[in-house]
Each structure stands twice: as structure tokens, then as C-alpha cells.
Amino acid sequence: MKILVTGKNGQVGFELMRSLATLGTVIGVDLKECDLSDSAAIDKLLEKVKPDLIVNPAAYTAVDKAESEPVIAHAINAKAPEILAKFASRRNIPIIHYSTDYVFDGLKEGTYTETDKINPKSVYGKSKALGEAAVRNNAPKHIILRTSWVFGSHGVNFLKTMLKLSQERDRLSIVSDQIGSPTSAALLADVTAIIAKQLFEPGACQKYGTYHLVTEGETSWHGYAQMVVARANKLGVNTKISSNAIQSIRTADYPLPAPRLANSRLDTTKIKTTFGVLLPTWQDEVIKVLEYIESHAERLN
Ligand SMILES: NC(=O)c1ccc[n+]([C@@H]2O[C@H](COP(=O)([O-])OP(=O)(O)OC[C@H]3O[C@@H](n4cnc5c(N)ncnc54)[C@H](OP(=O)(O)O)[C@@H]3O)[C@@H](O)[C@H]2O)c1
């Protein structure tokens, strides 16, 4: 089986190159090999690779920058998935695509289920919502995985930023009125591999659709930062601030170009029951990634 993975150097793409290798030949591409804002380049790539499965973690993920670059965000997050989905449909192959909590408005009281109405408020969220719709409407054999607060040892993310800042600063103020589930890129990639395998087994046609995939449990960015710093200290990282000295602030105290979601919590019942996966807690994943970063500090710096 030939598996095409876009964005091979992104947080999730990097982990997918590892996790999908047991299922077939993984052909990863980055921006240099195929610019996803260029429709002709995507067509050319698809004709060249002729994949049996498309996995599309590539995206324009700069949430704030997207507010001033809506055209490019739309090209990568909405148009490119449409082209990939149309190819998947023509070839009758599955496509696995990733989406985000930002398709919601964050105003719901409880956790969001897959059937909740979307209502994106940012350019990024709107472009991702259009990408989801393009995949859903064009490729019958689709899996859309909505996730949130992605982190990993590879790439830029909140966990790594906190680890760095805690070694540089003796004061940190972090938002405490946004709630979500930090989710590791490795978990997303591992579950993707489990799903991908099942898509080539009997009964797969019942399983196509949209799923929420996040870790168990929830926290605020403030609680997340505290956990990262506390755990880093335990691992011997010499931080300039202790976890309980991190100040809690409100979203309104830290204005950003794109609106944030007060509630990013996603219900994962559907993915657990359909694919039989067990999801770890966000704390377990944070510990795993911190331990990896610290034990590979020289290589990752
Ligand atoms: N990060 C989060 O917190 C988060 C939260 C919820 C959902 N998601 C979704 O999860 C998926 C994976 O996110 P991630 O965190 O792994 O993203 P990421 O680390 O930002 O990686 C995105 C990848 O897309 C590639 N890319 C961007 N523009 C491109 C273009 N024009 N042509 C080709 N490739 C391009 C990037 O390539 P270069 O490295 O070469 O620029 C990068 O490899 C995305 O669909 C994202 O929307 C992410």
C-alpha cells in the first residue's frame, strides 16, 4: 500500500511518517516538494504518487496570521483538501483529514460532539470548516479527525514555548479562562494508524465520517503551563520560575488578532466506540513528551 502524507515536517506529519510505516510505503511531502496552495502542483503530485491512501495533516496553522492572510489560509485549508478529496473519490481510495476545535465558537457549556453545529469565528476556523466540508462532500471514503491544542517533541507548540520561557523568565502570565485538552501529535499519529488499518478491513464502510480525537481530561492554558513547569523541575530542568508562581490572567487581558474559544472540549465517545481505541490523559502525554525532549535535549536544540 502506498500512503501519501502531506506536511511531513509538521508536528503531526512527522509522527505519521513513523506510525504509518507499519502499514505500507509512506511517501511524505513538504512544502518544497508540493506547495498545497498550487492546485496544479497537487494534481501533479497525485498523478505521480498514485496513493492507495491519502493522509492530510498539512495546514495553514498560524491562527493569528490567518486573520491578515485569508486567501492563502483558504487555499491550503479549504481548496487543497478539496482537490485531494476529489482525487480520492475518483480513485475510490480513503482520505484521512485533520480539523480543529476552531470550527466551533467555544460558547457551549459541555463537551462538543460531532453532531454539534459548527460556528467558526476566526479566518483559520472558517477555512478549516470549509476544508472539512470539501472532504465530506467530495470523498465518500473520508475520515475527518478534529483535535485541539496539539503538542509534540517536533515543531513549535505551547509545551515547548513554556519549557523555554520558564528557563528564561521569572514571571509568566498565562490565560486560565480557556479550557481544552492538550493532545500529542504522537497520539494523533498512533490512532490514525489504527484507523487506517481498519479502513482496509471488512466493515470499513460503516466507519467513515467525522470524529473528535483528543486526550482524556481537560485543563486551562494556565493549568497546562503549571504542569509543564512542575514536571520539567522534576526532570531536573533548571527553571527560573516555580509552577505555582505562574500568574493566571484572563483572555481579555491578552488580546490577540484571532478570537479564542472559551470552551475547546471535544467529546471522544464516537471514536472510542467505533475504532476501539483507548485514549491516555493529557498529563500522561505531557510527561511522555517532556521526558523525550529532555533525554534528547542536545539533538532537539
Ligand atoms: N497545532 C494545533 O494546536 C492544532 C489544533 C487543532 C487542530 N490542528 C490541525 O491538526 C493538523 C496538524 O497540525 P500540526 O500542528 O501538525 O501543524 P503544523 O505543525 O503547523 O504543520 C503544518 C504542516 O503543513 C505544511 N504546510 C503549510 N503550508 C503549506 C503549503 N503551502 N504547502 C505544503 N505544505 C504546507 C507545513 O510545512 P512547512 O513546515 O514546510 O511550513 C507543515 O509541515 C492540521 O490540520 C491542523 O489544522 C492543529
Side-chain angles (χ1 to χ4, degrees):
M1 171 156 83
K2 272 197 279 183
I3 307 168
L4 176 65
V5 174
T6 62
K8 70 174 178 186
N9 294 317
Q11 296 195 83
V12 178
F14 178 79
E15 297 290 347
L16 284 167
M17 296 302 291
R18 164 191 59 76
S19 73
L20 295 173
T22 54
L23 299 180
T25 305
V26 186
I27 299 129
V29 289
D30 63 10
L31 174 61
K32 289 194 298 298
E33 288 154 306
C34 177
D35 183 346
L36 293 175
S37 64
D38 176 350
S39 304
I42 306 175
D43 287 335
K44 209 168 143 196
L45 171 76
L46 291 167
E47 286 309 325
K48 187 175 150 209
V49 175
K50 294 191 173 55
D52 303 299
L53 168 66
I54 298 171
V55 184
N56 182 41
Y60 183 109
T61 55
V63 174
D64 290 315
K65 209 168 154 208
E67 293 297 311
S68 53
E69 291 190 342
V71 175
I72 180 81
H74 180 272
I76 299 165
N77 292 349
K79 187 66 195 164
E82 181 186 327
I83 297 169
L84 296 172
K86 284 183 172 166
F87 178 90
S89 176
R90 281 199 303 279
R91 297 292 169 110
N92 194 27
I93 62 165
I95 174 167
I96 301 178
H97 177 71
Y98 299 83
S99 190
T100 169
D101 50 326
Y102 274 81
V103 298
F104 296 116
D105 57 20
L107 299 174
K108 191 180 175 183
E109 286 293 327
T111 53
Y112 281 100
T113 66
E114 289 81 352
T115 51
D116 278 324
K117 200 171 170 301
I118 62 165
N119 188 23
K121 293 293 184 193
S122 60
V123 167
Y124 169 71
K126 286 174 190 165
S127 70
K128 293 294 291 183
L130 288 170
E132 277 191 4
V135 171
R136 204 173 285 127
N137 297 335
N138 287 293
K141 292 186 171 180
H142 70 263
I143 297 284
I144 295 167
L145 299 173
R146 286 191 191 131
T147 190
S148 71
W149 297 20
V150 177
F151 68 95
S153 57
H154 185 88
V156 179
N157 55 63
F158 181 84
L159 178 146
K160 287 172 77 178
T161 304
M162 286 305 117
L163 191 58
K164 186 166 177 281
L165 290 181
S166 67
Q167 293 168 78
E168 295 170 357
R169 297 194 193 166
D170 54 12
R171 286 169 67 95
L172 276 176
S173 302
I174 307 292
V175 167
S176 61
D177 57 355
Q178 295 167 29
I179 307 295
S181 306
T183 300
S184 72
L187 175 69
L188 291 166
D190 289 343
V191 173
T192 299
I194 292 170
I195 292 172
K197 187 165 179 290
Q198 293 186 31
L199 296 184
F200 293 88
E201 290 170 356
C205 57
Q206 318 288 331
K207 297 183 178 177
Y208 290 110
T210 301
Y211 295 89
H212 291 174
L213 174 52
V214 290
T215 50
E216 299 284 6
E218 63 196 44
T219 187
S220 65
W221 291 110
H222 179 258
Y224 181 10
Q226 284 189 308
M227 167 79 188
V228 170
V229 174
R231 201 68 204 186
N233 279 328
K234 264 202 171 157
L235 289 171
V237 176
N238 207 357
T239 61
K240 287 192 175 165
I241 185 167
S242 72
S243 60
N244 50 20
I246 299 174
Q247 261 196 327
S248 145
I249 55 166
R250 304 191 66 77
T251 304
D253 301 326
Y254 193 68
L256 289 166
R260 268 24 188 202
L261 279 68
N263 176 18
S264 284
R265 294 180 298 152
L266 303 177
D267 183 282
T268 53
T269 309
K270 186 180 171 194
I271 200 164
K272 287 188 284 199
T273 51
T274 307
F275 293 100
V277 290
L278 291 174
L279 299 172
T281 65
W282 67 269
Q283 293 98 327
D284 285 343
E285 292 297 285
V286 164
I287 291 169
K288 224 191 282 178
V289 169
L290 276 175
E291 284 178 353
Y292 183 88
I293 290 174
E294 283 314 304
S295 60
H296 294 75
E298 269 175 34
R299 197 166 64 78
L300 291 171
N301 278 337

